Amino acid sequence: MNFISIRLPYRQTGYFSKTVIDYLDQLSSLKPFFSLPPSAQGIQQAIENRKKTNTNRQLLVEQLRKQYAGITSYPAVQKNIEALLSSNCFTITTAHQPNLFTGPLYFIYKIVHAIKLAEHCRHLFPEYNFLPVFFMGSEDADFDELGHFYLNKEKHEWATNQTGAFGRMKVDKQLMKLIDGISGQLTVLPYGNEILQLIRDCYVEGETIQQATFRLINALFGDYGLLVLISDNAELKKQMAKIFEDELLNERAAGIVEETVRKLSDAGYKTQVNPREINLFYLKDNIRERIIRTKTGFATHDLLFTFNDSELLKDLQDHPEYFSPNVILRGLYQETILPNLVFIGGGGELAYWIQLKELFQRYQTPFPVLVLRNSFLIIESKWQEKITRLGFTAEDFFQTEEQLMNWLVARESKNQIQLNGFFSEAIQFYEQLKKQAAAVDVTLAKHVEALKTQSLARLQQLEKKMLRAEKRKFTDQQRQIHTIKENLFPKNGLQERIENFMYYYAKWGREFFKKLYDHSPALEQEFVVVAEF
């Protein structure tokens, strides 16, 4: 397989929010909401900030050793775990929930970006070491978001009655049936049997989803030295005990973040997430419910568990694993347990991270450099050939089907369908007529102006009718454009937000990840179109 790539400004794609575009442009309106720019200079300052902060490296390494015990050991991973003990070693982190079979493609792109940026930083600052980390948010309970995936635009859903944190759910017979159900789509491709066997090896009946996902990511990226950290860990959460207690007793985060939200709104930015009064869940067995204040103490939102103050604080001391930070506190937890410099996230993630700077300052935790994750559009050779035959480029297809047809008809039509010259002539005619009429009676000028407006509107209608009539002569091309758009931009969105990696692995094998790595930017922050040839 061979790929060529082009890069586009994110603004040009039309698929990214104002907040993201303004962040990439480093507009002054957003600068109060983040600490450091996504640049070499920003990372250099992040290193200096981290040097002043104590991270419990010994505990982190101990927990990683336990986590990796009993699974396939990659030398690069083992080396990186031990490297964390050194004070000159830092992490480049991305994070995601354990979506079923990794979910959409951007799950993979995040990881590749972390690996690429860690390598880039080792070249920029050879006196330090930088390790890529995937922080698994396995406590998320949004089954509707996590319990499905798409393969060749077909949605596959896990039919299970399990509840609670998605990562704690277990592989069951229904999930095994789902794996059987997709085998036919994969095994017809060159590496289909390989990826299917890997999925079966990782998703073993009775295994938790977080453990299965951990095994899968390790199998895919262990050679690159990627460290996967399962955050659902009692020993690691102990480090958050004081912050969690402050949250329970004083509802600290809500006031801080709400003030930031107000400032962002005043600056013209939409809020990504809103804080709760208490930004913690109670996570036990098969439930994950919000903790709320009551007249007598605390309760879970479903009222299944009730506590007085001392009972809940004792639970926090004895069972920190029962407490799960929501999106407001999750980043603070991540940055507390890791010697981290950079967080790589999607547009939505960056939008809520910029709400958190003041919260980090409150707890004297370094705020990381925020880097927008890399985005790719993968164009297989069969689609690239069709694009070329139609006389377009890959980047043209970020436009709407209507715009593409307008371009094609204007280029290919043998008839003159644009009335630009006639518009100019009409405007000149009415301007002369207006002068002549005004010389007779000044009030007639307004009447002529109204006639001009009506006439130009009718000319525009005529031009649109001519274009529609001419388009009907290009029905084959219109059908081809629709098919290409449907495949490259499923559901009228970005490919990376829908399709799963398994199809591309089944077609190209592990070389797929190598090609992504080769074409992946580090700090350039550009959208990448990758075409097979």
Side-chain angles (χ1 to χ4, degrees):
M1 68 184 278
N2 290 299
F3 280 166
I4 58 171
S5 65
I6 60 169
R7 296 184 182 183
L8 306 176
Y10 278 98
R11 182 188 303 279
Q12 187 176 325
T13 69
Y15 283 96
F16 293 84
S17 69
K18 168 181 165 57
T19 301
V20 168
I21 299 302
D22 287 358
Y23 179 74
L24 295 178
D25 291 341
Q26 294 285 283
L27 292 193
S28 58
S29 55
L30 270 182
K31 286 189 176 179
F33 305 102
F34 60 89
S35 296
L36 301 166
S39 64
Q41 292 77 17
I43 293 172
Q44 175 70 71
Q45 185 58 55
I47 292 171
E48 298 306 315
N49 294 345
R50 265 291 160 190
K51 285 179 178 179
K52 303 171 187 174
T53 305
N54 291 322
T55 301
N56 193 337
R57 293 173 179 271
Q58 186 64 48
L59 176 63
L60 177 61
V61 169
E62 287 173 359
Q63 296 309 307
L64 282 169
R65 286 171 181 162
K66 289 179 182 178
Q67 183 182 298
Y68 276 89
I71 71 165
T72 300
S73 178
Y74 289 87
V77 169
Q78 296 303 320
K79 178 183 177 183
N80 283 351
I81 290 174
E82 301 307 316
L84 281 168
L85 292 170
S86 172
S87 61
N88 75 337
C89 181
F90 304 99
T91 59
I92 307 294
T93 300
T94 192
H96 206 71
Q97 307 97 315
N99 292 58
L100 196 58
F101 309 142
T102 76
L105 275 166
Y106 66 73
F107 184 111
I108 299 296
Y109 299 164
K110 282 181 169 184
I111 291 173
V112 173
H113 195 167
I115 294 168
K116 184 78 171 210
L117 185 52
E119 178 65 23
H120 182 65
C121 287
R122 285 193 286 270
H123 289 297
L124 287 176
F125 310 105
E127 66 272 33
Y128 301 108
N129 194 8
F130 304 87
L131 310 180
V133 170
F134 179 82
F135 185 91
M136 191 189 300
S138 52
E139 297 166 21
D140 199 314
D142 189 350
F143 185 88
D144 290 342
E145 179 185 352
L146 307 180
H148 70 272
F149 64 97
Y150 285 86
L151 197 60
N152 287 331
K153 300 182 294 301
E154 181 182 351
K155 187 176 183 180
H156 299 270
E157 298 180 87
W158 180 19
T160 185
N161 295 322
Q162 297 178 65
T163 58
F166 191 77
R168 292 188 179 185
M169 293 181 184
K170 293 185 177 180
V171 178
D172 58 13
K173 285 182 169 53
Q174 293 302 315
L175 187 53
M176 301 309 293
K177 287 181 182 179
L178 185 58
I179 295 172
D180 291 339
I182 64 173
S183 61
Q185 291 177 267
L186 296 174
T187 54
V188 295
L189 295 167
Y191 297 92
N193 285 313
E194 183 177 310
I195 184 57
L196 189 63
Q197 186 58 53
L198 179 56
I199 293 294
R200 292 187 190 280
D201 290 343
C202 295
Y203 290 80
V204 178
E205 191 171 348
E207 191 79 83
T208 64
I209 293 296
Q210 70 180 9
Q211 190 64 22
T213 306
F214 168 66
R215 289 177 181 274
L216 178 60
I217 300 172
N218 182 60
L220 295 176
F221 296 103
D223 280 338
Y224 292 88
L226 177 76
L227 300 181
V228 182
L229 179 61
I230 298 175
S231 61
D232 188 0
N233 180 299
E235 293 303 315
L236 294 176
K237 283 184 179 180
K238 281 182 181 178
Q239 297 178 82
M240 293 291 288
K242 289 184 179 179
I243 295 176
F244 286 173
E245 181 177 338
D246 192 25
E247 180 69 8
L248 292 168
L249 298 181
N250 302 308
E251 300 179 3
R252 189 77 64 187
I256 295 171
V257 177
E258 282 171 359
E259 177 62 18
T260 302
V261 166
R262 183 190 65 76
K263 292 176 182 177
L264 278 165
S265 179
D266 290 345
Y269 297 101
K270 294 181 180 179
T271 301
Q272 185 69 21
V273 294
N274 290 301
R276 302 280 189 179
E277 288 82 2
I278 296 174
N279 293 281
L280 289 168
F281 289 88
Y282 196 71
L283 180 65
K284 188 175 182 181
D285 300 327
N286 63 341
I287 71 117
R288 184 180 185 254
E289 286 285 337
R290 286 193 296 117
I291 299 173
I292 59 173
R293 257 291 183 186
T294 65
K295 292 180 180 179
T296 58
F298 299 91
T300 52
H301 187 254
D302 61 0
L303 302 180
L304 185 62
F305 294 93
T306 59
F307 319 85
N308 60 35
D309 288 20
S310 59
E311 288 171 337
L312 190 60
L313 293 180
K314 188 174 189 311
D315 245 5
L316 177 59
Q317 179 181 351
D318 296 343
H319 297 284
E321 70 274 14
Y322 289 176
F323 295 82
S324 175
N326 74 355
V327 66
I328 297 297
L329 292 177
R330 191 181 303 140
L332 191 61
Y333 173 38
Q334 172 187 298
E335 299 300 308
T336 296
I337 63 178
L338 288 170
N340 195 49
L341 304 176
V342 176
F343 177 72
I344 297 170
E349 289 171 296
L350 263 58
Y352 75 69
W353 270 82
I354 63 173
Q355 297 177 207
L356 305 178
K357 178 185 170 186
E358 298 298 324
L359 184 65
F360 274 70
Q361 290 181 342
R362 167 66 179 78
Y363 291 111
Q364 299 180 328
T365 303
F367 195 73
V369 174
L370 302 178
V371 172
L372 180 67
R373 67 164 174 82
N374 285 335
S375 287
F376 292 88
L377 173 64
I378 302 168
I379 305 179
E380 297 171 77
S381 58
K382 61 183 178 181
W383 302 118
Q384 183 59 51
E385 289 166 5
K386 292 179 185 295
I387 291 169
T388 302
R389 281 200 300 268
L390 285 168
F392 290 116
T393 63
E395 54 264 42
D396 289 336
F397 270 78
F398 284 90
Q399 303 297 321
T400 64
E401 290 184 36
E402 181 180 8
Q403 181 60 61
L404 290 167
M405 276 303 298
N406 289 346
W407 287 348
L408 185 141
V409 172
R411 187 184 70 222
E412 301 293 337
S413 177
K414 297 177 182 178
N415 299 311
Q416 178 63 37
I417 56 174
Q418 293 183 324
L419 302 178
N420 294 340
F422 292 103
F423 279 115
S424 299
E425 291 175 8
I427 291 170
Q428 291 176 8
F429 169 75
Y430 279 104
E431 288 301 315
Q432 292 174 355
L433 185 59
K434 186 162 60 174
K435 289 179 183 178
Q436 184 176 343
V440 176
D441 184 341
V442 70
T443 61
L444 293 175
K446 291 185 178 179
H447 178 64
V448 175
E449 185 66 29
L451 289 174
K452 182 182 79 170
T453 301
Q454 293 173 7
S455 178
L456 292 178
R458 288 175 179 172
L459 284 174
Q460 287 175 333
Q461 291 174 359
L462 174 62
E463 185 179 64
K464 289 178 181 179
K465 288 180 179 180
M466 291 170 64
L467 179 59
R468 283 198 297 269
E470 193 67 11
K471 280 181 180 179
R472 287 194 286 271
K473 301 176 183 177
F474 295 89
T475 54
D476 286 345
Q477 292 92 328
Q478 188 166 17
R479 187 162 48 249
Q480 291 176 49
I481 287 172
H482 174 74
T483 301
I484 295 169
K485 282 285 290 187
E486 189 177 46
N487 279 274
L488 299 186
F489 298 88
K491 296 182 177 293
N492 295 313
L494 288 176
Q495 176 193 72
E496 62 184 28
R497 298 175 186 172
I498 302 292
E499 290 293 339
N500 182 266
F501 86 98
M502 286 189 289
Y503 166 76
Y504 299 96
Y505 189 111
K507 182 174 182 179
W508 293 315
R510 289 180 178 272
E511 186 69 9
F512 172 56
F513 301 127
K514 175 66 165 56
K515 294 299 183 184
L516 288 178
Y517 179 85
D518 290 344
H519 292 273
S520 177
L523 287 172
E524 296 89 332
Q525 302 283 261
E526 295 173 304
F527 192 102
V528 184
V529 178
V530 179
E532 181 190 17
F533 68 95

